Amino acid sequence: MTLSSMVHEQTRLIHGDSRCDALQRTPGPVIQRGSTVLLPSCEALYDGGKVTYGRVGLSTQRTLRDALRDLEHADEAFIYPSGLTAITGTLLALLSAGDEVLACDTVYNPTRRFLAGTLARYGVTARYFDPADDAESIRAMITPKTRVIFLESPGSLSFEMQDIPAIAAMAKQAGIMTVIDNTWSAGVLFKPLDHGVDVSIQSLTKYVCGHSDVFMGLAAAKGHAAVLLAASSYETGWAVSPDDAYMAIRGLRTLHSRLAHHGAAALKIAEWLEVQPEVQSVMCPALPSDPGHAIWKRDFTGICGLIGAVLKPASETAVAAMVEQLKLFGLGFSWGGYESLAIPVDPQLKARTHKLSYPGPLLRLHIGLERVDDLIADLRQGLDTLSQETAAPQRKLRAAG
Ligand SMILES: *Cc1c(COP(=O)(O)O)cnc(C)c1O
């Protein structure tokens, strides 16, 4: 007997079938929406080992987590509603009151803000080491309170490389956990967990999702760190929607192809920038002139589209005039999407503990998927504006007056 003959229309609409026909398989995964999970028995309701509630993620999120776990060579992958919640969630999972974090001075600024704000309130302290410090110098900073070393290599503003295998080995010996923000490598170009790191974090918002329209984060972990993250992500209850998980899975399909284009174009532009008269130096570890080149060559299999340039001395207004009139490079935060972006980064570097000194302003470029010669032409006319503004900064003011 069908339900329809037994109940009213109102009830029938509520109990309408949901089917997933095995003969209607599609290349993409099923987007499984659901808060309530229907269970076969009372015993299953209270079976802690099973998925009994949608917040922990259903088949779409599980598909994504499995793919990310494999990508990062991890024991388990945890997903969060943003890259920043992956960072804060990981720190909450690994730290307790009285602990101390040693963080590389290149960390993403909101990481620094969380350490100085929430974690300080919870009795966790933080100190920063210079990205140029080697494993031995970092070892010398360790106290009995040190619990976590937080790394990011290359830095996403100033591109310093760290010797991750050496630092991870030193930390392991000292019984300290290592965490890395691996967003720059997208989990493809560098595999931190193969080099002894305990947790690899990514803002999936960047390359994995890849189209500047989804927020998501990843913490991929091995061993005891994975156990701590499992408990903490369950306790804190961050959830990712199945629709967003679907978008991240879609991004993974083209991740290698997109990165190959981003990396080749970024290298070409880095080499071109190096010989432009307005440029002092280029920050891209694939260039033999970059101080991090040897480490990059040893540990990484490529570069992404994010590079930097130190310009010859120029005023803030001249740099602003340049980036504001670029035609193909957008002016905005974030990176990893299909589109090119350019921003001056000096204001963000003010947060650093170990002050930096460069001969001129720093420009950060994200090289998108456009034709590289179009991007070079756009940058050339931008650099022309920079030279004009540097040579005659008053011209515009006089014209305006
Ligand atoms: C963007 C970014 C994050 C934060 O990611 P969201 O998804 O924007 O929260 C973390 N680390 C790095 C290096 C980033 O560039």
Side-chain angles (χ1 to χ4, degrees):
M1 205 189 303
T2 61
L3 197 60
S4 57
S5 58
M6 296 162 52
V7 297
H8 294 98
E9 179 186 87
Q10 180 182 348
T11 306
R12 240 183 297 136
L13 288 174
I14 288 171
H15 282 268
D17 239 3
S18 70
R19 65 183 76 204
C20 181
D21 191 327
L23 293 177
Q24 289 169 7
R25 246 170 35 90
T26 49
V30 169
I31 298 180
Q32 188 179 19
R33 288 180 157 280
S35 52
T36 296
V37 174
L38 296 172
L39 298 160
S41 66
C42 289
E43 197 189 348
L45 267 178
Y46 301 106
D47 179 347
K50 298 253 162 51
V51 171
T52 54
Y53 194 44
R55 187 174 56 222
V56 300
L58 303 173
S59 63
T60 321
Q61 293 94 332
R62 191 62 255 178
T63 302
L64 174 62
R65 288 177 60 189
D66 289 350
L68 293 168
R69 181 196 60 211
D70 294 349
L71 178 70
E72 291 272 4
H73 299 173
D75 288 346
E76 189 52 282
F78 304 90
I79 49 176
Y80 298 82
S82 67
L84 182 56
T85 46
I87 293 169
T88 59
T90 297
L91 291 172
L92 287 172
L94 305 187
L95 293 160
S96 307
D99 288 345
E100 179 191 59
V101 179
L102 293 181
C104 184
D105 214 7
T106 53
V107 292
Y108 182 61
N109 276 341
T111 304
R112 196 185 294 273
R113 201 158 59 211
F114 183 70
L115 288 166
T118 306
L119 283 188
R121 269 199 298 117
Y122 287 7
V124 173
T125 53
R127 279 184 297 146
Y128 293 87
F129 57 88
D130 194 294
D133 286 346
D134 63 8
E136 282 318 302
S137 320
I138 300 168
R139 190 204 298 274
M141 292 176 71
I142 291 173
T143 71
K145 293 171 61 179
T146 311
R147 179 92 178 122
V148 164
I149 296 179
F150 198 105
L151 304 157
E152 186 171 331
S153 176
S156 68
L157 298 171
S158 42
F159 300 89
E160 302 90 336
M161 300 286 305
Q162 292 146 59
D163 189 341
I164 300 299
I167 298 170
M170 177 279 290
K172 196 141 280 174
Q173 219 179 30
I176 292 165
M177 282 182 288
T178 44
V179 176
I180 191 168
D181 186 331
N182 194 33
T183 303
W184 192 88
S185 101
V188 170
L189 310 171
F190 180 51
K191 308 285 185 188
L193 302 188
D194 288 352
H195 296 276
V197 173
D198 295 293
V199 185
S200 176
I201 294 175
Q202 272 193 66
S203 166
L204 303 174
T205 311
K206 309 291 163 58
Y207 285 112
V208 168
C209 292
H211 293 72
S212 311
D213 53 5
V214 180
F215 274 105
M216 207 182 299
L218 161 71
K222 254 184 164 165
H224 185 55
V227 174
L228 294 177
L229 275 163
S232 183
S233 68
Y234 183 64
E235 288 167 20
T236 52
W238 290 118
V240 166
S241 83
D243 305 77
D244 284 348
Y246 181 95
M247 295 305 275
I249 293 164
R250 190 162 84 161
L252 285 173
R253 314 285 188 204
T254 56
L255 182 60
H256 271 257
S257 311
R258 284 183 287 113
L259 275 175
H261 184 110
H262 285 293
L267 183 59
K268 197 160 178 199
I269 289 179
E271 286 167 346
W272 175 83
L273 278 171
E274 267 200 314
V275 295
Q276 301 310 301
E278 297 84 357
V279 175
Q280 181 73 36
S281 61
V282 176
M283 297 181 290
C284 169
L287 292 176
S289 61
D290 190 285
H293 182 68
I295 289 177
W296 170 80
K297 211 169 154 187
R298 186 192 65 192
D299 297 344
F300 283 63
T301 56
I303 59 166
C304 68
L306 197 73
I307 58 172
V310 180
L311 301 171
K312 297 250 174 80
S315 70
E316 230 172 87
T317 25
V319 178
M322 171 188 171
V323 297
E324 283 170 7
Q325 62 81 63
L326 289 170
K327 306 288 184 289
L328 298 175
F329 284 80
L331 178 54
F333 290 115
S334 198
W335 44 284
Y338 51 83
E339 80 289 15
S340 292
L341 297 166
I343 55 165
V345 296
D346 292 272
Q348 290 187 63
L349 293 172
K350 293 203 174 95
R352 301 245 313 223
T353 305
H354 303 270
K355 296 301 173 200
L356 295 161
S357 104
Y358 292 104
L362 257 66
L363 192 65
R364 186 179 78 176
L365 300 176
H366 178 251
I367 308 305
L369 299 177
E370 302 93 336
R371 275 288 292 260
V372 69
D373 18 3
D374 291 334
L375 296 177
I376 287 177
D378 195 28
L379 286 172
R380 188 53 257 167
Q381 62 90 21
L383 290 171
D384 288 342
T385 302
L386 180 75
S387 313
Q388 285 155 19
E389 288 292 319
T390 305
Q394 299 306 322
R395 193 182 306 155
K396 235 166 91 180
L397 286 179
R398 246 185 273 127

